Structures are given as C-alpha cells and as structure tokens.
Amino acid sequence: MPFGQLVLGSPGSGKSTYCDGMHQFMSAIGRECSVVNLDPANDKTNYPCALDIRDLITLEEIMSDDQLGPNGGILYAFEELENNMEWLENGLKELGDSYILFDCPGQVELYTHHNSLRNIFFKLQKMGYRLVAVHLSDSFCLTQPSLYISNLLLTLRAMLQMDLPHINVLTKIDKISSYDPLPFNLDYYTEVQDLSYLLGYLEEESPAMRSDKFRRLNEAVANLVENFALVRFEVLAVENKKSMMHLLRVIDRAGGYVFGGAEGANDTVWQVAMRNEGSMMEVQDIQERWVDAKEEYDAAEEKEWEEQQKRTGGDTGATTPDLIPDDDDDEFDGMPPPTGDSGVKVIRKNQ
C-alpha cells in the first residue's frame, strides 16, 4: 500500500524546500522516497524529480496558446491533468511502493474552492494511496494578528475542502526569534487557543479595526475558527534534523504509516526513533527551543550530532546530510493572487 504527502501552502511558504529536505531525510533513514512535481510553472527543482507535470503540460504553453494569466493557467493545467489521469496513474505505477511527495503550486484557490486537485487525489486514494495533506504556512504570519487570523481562515478552508488527514505546519520557525517579540508564547499560536485575547492586539494594529463594526466582524471570525476546533499547527525548521524527525513521526501517525510499512535497510533505525519519546518535542518546549534559548539548543544539538558521528566512525546511515537552506519557492510562486472571481471557465480545444 503506497503512502504519500500532498504538500500545500501559500507562495513562499517553503513547499519545494520542504520536499527537498524531506526527500534527503527519508533517504538517510532508508525509506524509499520519490518526489512528484505538480507545479507546471516550476522548471527548476533542487530535488530529483521522479515525475514532472511539465512533461504533460507547461504554464508557458497555456499562457501562450490560450491567452490566460498565470493563475488561470495553473487552474487550466489541473483541469487538463484531471482529464488525463492515465498519465499520472501510469507514472505512479512505475514508482511502485515508493513513498511519494507531491509538490503542489502555491495558488491557494486550488485547495480552497477549485475541485480539480481534490478530485485528482480522491482518484489516487481509490488506487490504494494513503495520503496526508501537509499544509505549510510561513511563521512570519505570527508577527501580525491580522496575518495570523487570515492564515487560520485559509487553513480551515483547506482542511474542509481537501477532506484528507491534515497536518498544518508553521515553517521557518528558526527565524521567529529574529522578529519582533510576540505578545504570547508559541504554544498559544500552535494550539490556536482563545482568540479573544488577540482581538485587542488586532485593533492596535490598525485604527480602522477599532470601530464596532470591525470588532463584531473580528469576533465572528474568531468564533468561527474556534467552533470548528480543527486547526492546530506543528512547527518546522527544515534544516534541523530533530524538527524533521518530529514532523515525520506526526505525519506517519496521521497517515497510518506507523502501523505498517517497510522501511528498507534502516528499518530498525526509524522504528527505534519512532518509539523514542525523546525525539518528540513537547508543546511546552517550543517557546524555549525556538525563542527563549534558541542559541543554546542549537549549540547542544550540534555537539550531540558531532559526538554521535565520532562514536560511529563518521557515517551512521541514520543521520541526515546537511539539509538545504530555507529559501523561497520558485519565481512563479510569488505571484500575487488574482482579483475578483478567481474561478476560470475554459472551453477545451478539440484534440
């Protein structure tokens, strides 16, 4: 039974960086892993691409032939993929039982209200794939209450739309200590606790928010998120090995991989790590690890890895290579969202 991750997120949240880092990590622990690029605009991938949607259709061709903009072109590409599922199914069959990472575009309408992406992965589930949606958000959104609440709404909508086991992740958490101090500890944001405490800071952010009309709107939005009680976040620093280990363990539990799956040559290495509670970061440790004592933890972890390599002769097979720096996604990933109705109606050409 093949397993996989559907990697979603807004432009610049670090999807391609995550896929590259997770591919390296899985390779290091002995899990066979393949990355599938589903972004027709991404012509430069750092990871080895096992299957590329650009072999079927490219954004440049769509924009040239059909006079569509970049966002409309992405939607058109996924409608084409939905109507050519044989190409994707045949490509995945050649990968066998390899663990799949699906690197998706940053256009949020694909996983908020456009149905093609959801339909594609429903079909893959019928093929026997056990999928987990991993929704990435840049931790910079924590620095402004309006960004954080907007991100909560986006995340909630994605969870309702995709209808899959869902893990929400705040990426680039190692950078949070370089921003202005947050009014609350990190666990307040990751656990999405009582949002009423945030409303006062939201009014301070903008004078326009101080009117009764906006206050009632903000309270309604906060109550909506709290009433669903679905959204919470994990944190990730993609170049930090313990952080990657923690997140993969959470994803494996959500997708059922922990209950069965062959790890390959390093099977016992990962099973021991999965059983080792020390590999999990408790919620109360997040603030101390990434804000209050970040430098001390970084130094201690670096010393720990160096000592481990000395004990094992420098090559354990259980540690990851130096993971890539946390760069932004490809050049098309920073496109502004479309204005007005983002849905696109196209008339398909006769082949």
Side-chain angles (χ1 to χ4, degrees), residues 138-152 170 176 179-184 188-189 195 198-206 209:
D138 193 333
S139 59
F140 182 79
C141 72
L142 305 184
T143 62
Q144 297 182 31
S146 59
L147 289 179
Y148 176 65
I149 292 180
S150 298
N151 188 70
L152 290 178
L170 292 171
I176 197 70
Y179 302 144
D180 292 337
L182 302 177
F184 305 104
Y188 172 85
Y189 299 95
L195 295 178
L198 203 61
L199 297 180
Y201 293 94
L202 188 61
E203 294 177 0
E204 292 178 5
E205 183 182 333
S206 174
M209 298 292 182

Side-chain angles (χ1 to χ4, degrees), residues 47-62:
Y47 50 77
C49 193
L51 192 61
D52 194 341
I53 191 177
R54 289 178 62 85
D55 295 334
L56 174 69
I57 191 168
T58 68
L59 180 63
E60 295 85 355
E61 293 174 351
I62 298 172

Side-chain angles (χ1 to χ4, degrees), residues 12 58 98 118 181 225 250 263-264 278 307:
T58 68
S98 178
R118 181 182 63 177
V225 175
V250 172
E263 292 288 351
E307 291 177 352

Side-chain angles (χ1 to χ4, degrees), residues 60-330:
E60 295 85 355
E61 293 174 351
I62 298 172
M63 294 175 64
S64 174
D65 297 343
D66 298 282
Q67 301 300 309
L68 291 173
N71 287 280
I74 293 289
L75 301 184
Y76 183 93
F78 273 83
E79 291 180 357
E80 283 295 320
L81 180 59
E82 183 182 2
N83 284 277
N84 291 275
M85 276 296 295
E86 302 83 9
W87 175 85
L88 182 59
E89 292 172 358
N90 293 335
L92 292 175
K93 287 179 181 177
E94 294 179 1
L95 301 179
D97 289 332
S98 178
Y99 194 104
I100 308 297
L101 300 174
F102 295 94
D103 186 9
C104 296
Q107 278 63 32
V108 298
E109 54 264 42
L110 282 171
Y111 53 88
T112 57
H113 62 271
H114 196 267
N115 291 327
S116 289
L117 185 66
R118 181 182 63 177
N119 295 341
I120 289 168
F121 285 97
F122 278 1
K123 292 178 182 178
L124 293 184
Q125 285 183 306
K126 292 181 179 179
M127 292 174 57
Y129 277 86
R130 297 288 297 273
L131 301 173
V132 177
V134 180
H135 185 227
L136 308 183
S137 302
D138 193 333
S139 59
F140 182 79
C141 72
L142 305 184
T143 62
Q144 297 182 31
S146 59
L147 289 179
Y148 176 65
I149 292 180
S150 298
N151 188 70
L152 290 178
L153 286 175
L154 175 62
T155 302
L156 176 60
R157 183 68 189 109
M159 296 179 74
L160 298 176
Q161 171 76 4
M162 295 307 298
D163 198 19
L164 288 168
H166 210 100
I167 302 296
N168 303 307
V169 183
L170 292 171
T171 60
K172 310 176 187 178
I173 197 64
D174 52 317
K175 297 182 179 179
I176 197 70
S177 60
S178 63
Y179 302 144
D180 292 337
L182 302 177
F184 305 104
N185 284 350
L186 282 179
D187 61 298
Y188 172 85
Y189 299 95
T190 57
E191 294 298 314
V192 192
Q193 297 175 8
D194 191 350
L195 295 178
S196 63
Y197 289 103
L198 203 61
L199 297 180
Y201 293 94
L202 188 61
E203 294 177 0
E204 292 178 5
E205 183 182 333
S206 174
M209 298 292 182
R210 297 171 185 170
S211 65
D212 292 337
K213 178 177 66 175
F214 279 106
R215 185 177 297 109
R216 291 194 300 271
L217 175 62
N218 294 335
E219 291 175 353
V221 171
N223 290 335
L224 173 67
V225 175
E226 291 178 348
N227 289 339
F228 271 98
L230 291 176
V231 183
R232 70 177 301 275
F233 295 94
E234 300 294 335
V235 298
L236 174 67
V238 74
E239 70 277 12
N240 182 276
K241 301 176 181 67
K242 284 191 175 182
S243 181
M244 291 289 280
M245 179 183 294
H246 165 78
L247 180 60
L248 183 56
R249 181 175 180 177
V250 172
I251 294 171
D252 284 348
R253 286 183 170 181
Y257 191 96
V258 68
F259 303 112
E263 292 288 351
N266 287 340
D267 185 21
T268 56
V269 172
W270 183 245
Q271 286 188 348
V272 169
M274 292 288 286
R275 291 193 295 267
N276 180 14
E277 291 300 323
S279 68
M280 296 287 287
M281 286 184 288
E282 300 296 338
V283 171
Q284 59 265 29
D285 295 335
I286 294 177
Q287 175 72 17
E288 182 179 359
R289 171 62 185 90
W290 298 113
V291 180
D292 297 338
K294 178 181 181 298
E295 294 181 358
E296 290 84 350
Y297 272 91
D298 288 344
E301 289 183 5
E302 183 66 25
K303 183 177 179 180
E304 177 184 344
W305 287 110
E306 289 177 357
E307 291 177 352
Q308 181 178 354
Q309 288 204 345
K310 288 179 181 179
R311 291 195 303 267
T312 57
D315 185 11
T316 66
T319 60
T320 66
D322 291 335
L323 298 181
I324 55 177
D326 196 2
D327 296 327
D328 289 336
D329 287 345
D330 59 87

